[in-house]
Amino acid sequence: MPIEDDEVPLNAIRVFVTIAREGSVTRAASALGTTQSSVSRYLAVLQNYLGAELMERRGRRSELTEFGRLFANTVAEPLDTVCFTAKRMCRRNRSNVNRILVRTSLSTFAYSFLIPNLQAFSAETGGVIVDVISSLSQPTSSDNFDILITRDLSMIEPAHDWEIYNEELVCVGSPNHVDGKTISIVRSMPILNITSRPDILPTWMRAMNLTSEDIKSEGARYDHNYLALPAVMTGKCLLVAPEIIVSDLVRGGVLTVIPGSRTRSGMQYRAYAVDRSDNPEIARAFCRWLARLCKKAAIPEAT
């Protein structure tokens, strides 16, 4: 959109600060939930306004110019302050005092465990509405959320935190194919690969004293566990996954845990209730409820 010569392109500045933080146009587009072409257009608008190049090619990569680094470092903090203040003072965001926003980097955990249980929390708390969003980007103090649930992101602002789950891995399959079988079934049935968690299978194999020669690992590849779950429920294949995301499916008889396949991954899920929340008491109550819920999710060891 054309701008007047004296009109500061604030949206373009916000986009450029995101580029600087994320390190590339591609990652900035993902963080902003928009397209690369849109981000590139905003970059061009800002460069035209400033009369200077903000990024330059270095081989196959694009990096900030010296001017670009100086500009980003100068405007990032004031921009964060403006965004944070506006969100805190926005009357629209305060229209429903019985509403909290949960942000998580654990999409499968949210899909298979958290969201199916939210109605119970709402019932316990007199109708509190829980909104859920997912993001893999590092949170900042200007982001709008009350609670962060994560395994791999760090919280850099004041918050109360809870350890909600020490991740345990189990190997599961369809009851039609694995009932009554032992761990040796991994030699004859393919194990699905989850590209977003490449650590899971090697960690589990080490704990089981297995090598790549001991398993049939040419299973299909999926980005996330929630995409692989329908495949393992209906197909002749196995999945090594966090116990908590398959617990309800196991209890419902849809999946079976192979006896002796449980082990710790070393990963820990934590919930953070940020101090700046408009509903801090509800946010903390939610985290305490979630910690209790996760403790109840363990599947009894098969005998």
Side-chain angles (χ1 to χ4, degrees):
M1 184 176 185
I3 60 173
E4 300 296 331
D5 289 344
D6 59 346
E7 184 180 344
V8 178
L10 293 177
N11 284 336
I13 293 174
R14 174 173 172 265
V15 169
F16 175 67
V17 168
T18 304
I19 295 173
R21 283 176 174 160
E22 297 294 329
S24 76
V25 168
T26 301
R27 288 193 290 274
S30 177
L32 292 167
T34 187
T35 63
Q36 293 183 45
S37 58
S38 177
V39 171
S40 296
R41 285 196 298 272
Y42 275 117
L43 178 61
V45 166
L46 184 58
Q47 290 183 146
N48 182 63
Y49 177 84
L50 296 172
E53 293 295 317
L54 298 172
M55 301 192 74
E56 61 186 356
R57 297 291 298 181
R58 294 282 181 87
R60 293 186 175 183
R61 301 182 57 187
S62 292
E63 297 181 358
L64 298 181
T65 63
E66 188 61 32
F67 182 89
R69 281 190 291 273
L70 176 62
F71 184 78
N73 291 337
T74 303
V75 302
E77 186 173 349
L79 182 63
D80 282 347
T81 301
V82 169
C83 292
F84 175 72
T85 303
K87 287 178 179 179
R88 291 281 297 183
M89 298 184 69
C90 179
R91 293 181 180 273
R92 183 183 61 191
N93 290 342
R94 298 172 183 269
S95 60
N96 192 330
V97 296
N98 282 324
R99 194 177 203 122
I100 55 174
L101 177 60
V102 174
R103 170 175 168 166
T104 182
S105 61
L106 310 174
S107 55
T108 301
F109 173 81
Y111 169 81
S112 61
F113 182 78
L114 174 63
I115 294 174
N117 286 290
L118 288 182
Q119 191 59 42
F121 174 76
S122 182
E124 288 181 21
T125 53
V128 170
I129 297 172
V130 182
D131 299 321
V132 181
I133 59 173
S134 64
S135 175
L136 297 176
S137 61
Q138 184 66 36
T140 70
S141 59
S142 62
D143 293 335
N144 183 28
F145 63 90
D146 300 286
I147 296 159
L148 174 69
I149 302 172
T150 186
R151 178 191 61 243
D152 43 11
L153 301 179
S154 58
M155 177 61 68
I156 59 174
E157 61 177 299
H160 290 71
D161 69 288
W162 285 260
E163 174 189 305
I164 59 171
Y165 178 60
N166 285 308
E167 189 177 69
E168 292 197 344
L169 305 177
V170 290
C171 186
V172 295
S174 166
N176 294 333
H177 300 122
V178 304
D179 270 358
K181 304 293 177 60
T182 66
I183 199 71
S184 62
I185 197 174
V186 299
R187 298 178 184 273
S188 58
M189 287 182 65
I191 300 178
L192 301 180
N193 288 279
I194 309 301
T195 58
S196 64
R197 288 292 306 274
D199 59 300
I200 282 184
L201 193 53
T203 298
W204 180 81
M205 288 171 58
R206 284 194 298 271
M208 297 295 112
N209 292 316
L210 296 170
T211 69
S212 57
E213 297 178 352
D214 296 322
I215 68 170
K216 192 173 182 180
S217 62
E218 65 269 18
R221 296 180 182 275
Y222 293 87
D223 280 351
H224 299 282
N225 276 303
Y226 71 82
L227 297 176
L229 285 172
V232 75
M233 285 188 286
T234 59
K236 192 175 182 180
C237 54
L238 303 173
L239 176 66
V240 176
E243 176 191 46
I244 201 164
I245 70 170
V246 298
S247 58
D248 285 346
L249 296 172
V250 172
R251 289 191 179 90
V254 179
L255 290 175
T256 295
V257 175
I258 297 173
S261 69
R262 181 185 277 106
T263 186
R264 287 283 180 93
S265 74
M267 304 298 286
Q268 187 181 78
Y269 299 5
R270 302 193 72 84
Y272 298 86
V274 294
D275 289 358
R276 60 178 167 81
S277 169
D278 288 332
N279 295 304
E281 291 185 5
I282 296 176
R284 291 193 287 270
F286 178 89
C287 292
R288 290 191 292 268
W289 168 83
L290 182 59
R292 293 194 302 271
L293 185 68
C294 289
K295 287 180 181 178
K296 296 177 182 178
I299 306 167
E301 187 73 53
T303 56

